[in-house]
Amino acid sequence: MDLLLTLRMLFLSISLIYSTSLLANAERFTEAKMVFQDAVTDQSMLKNEFQDKRIKLTGIVAYKGPDIFGLPSIEITDKFGQPSLFLCVLPLSKYPSLIDVSIGQRINMSGVFRRVTEKRITMKQCKIY
């Protein structure tokens, strides 16, 4: 039982350090795959730590264009040709900025965490850097 408690405390400590660095370091962008793997491992932690907070990440553009509601969006993956890990929805006024984005391009983005599923993390109010 003590080993289980120790492992949980270790996981929480690592999660806290990771979440603090992810949110606090304005110049650092975390690899999309790393954030996604942590989210799938512990969805409740991600929801508690990041709900309505801005996350900065870097990855490869898998899709650009309207989402299912017609809003400008970019889907990010870790490798070209792989399924997307993040759906980043931009403000409607940012549609013209999609012209400068290419599928397969490495991109730095930030967005406000909204939801996580087994397949994808959704972020709103995204910005392209």
Side-chain angles (χ1 to χ4, degrees):
M1 192 66 162
D2 289 331
L3 178 60
L4 183 59
L5 181 60
T6 303
L7 289 173
R8 283 186 179 170
M9 294 300 290
L10 179 62
F11 178 76
L12 288 173
S13 297
I14 292 169
S15 297
L16 181 60
I17 292 167
Y18 171 73
S19 65
T20 302
S21 68
L22 188 61
L23 294 171
N25 192 340
E27 296 303 314
R28 184 172 179 211
F29 292 86
T30 304
E31 286 291 330
K33 179 85 173 191
M34 187 173 156
V35 178
F36 184 77
Q37 286 175 333
D38 287 349
V40 171
T41 302
D42 189 353
Q43 289 186 15
S44 62
M45 183 280 296
L46 188 76
K47 289 177 185 175
N48 292 335
E49 291 292 322
F50 296 116
Q51 190 67 41
D52 298 321
K53 294 181 182 168
R54 187 164 289 278
I55 297 173
K56 292 184 161 203
L57 59 96
T58 186
I60 306 297
V61 176
Y63 169 81
K64 69 172 190 171
D67 68 359
I68 61 171
F69 300 106
L71 296 171
S73 68
I74 295 174
E75 293 183 14
I76 296 179
T77 187
D78 63 327
K79 293 180 188 169
F80 184 72
Q82 296 295 314
S84 65
L85 304 173
F86 285 84
L87 170 62
C88 304
V89 181
L90 290 85
L92 191 57
S93 63
K94 298 297 181 184
Y95 245 124
S97 66
L98 292 180
I99 293 171
D100 298 327
V101 176
S102 301
I103 293 176
Q105 170 187 345
R106 176 164 285 281
I107 192 167
N108 293 331
M109 294 194 75
S110 71
V112 178
F113 172 81
R114 285 293 188 247
R115 169 180 58 212
V116 60
T117 67
E118 305 82 38
K119 295 181 180 180
R120 184 180 301 157
I121 295 173
T122 301
M123 300 189 319
K124 303 283 185 172
Q125 302 166 3
C126 292
K127 294 180 183 177
I128 302 169
Y129 291 88

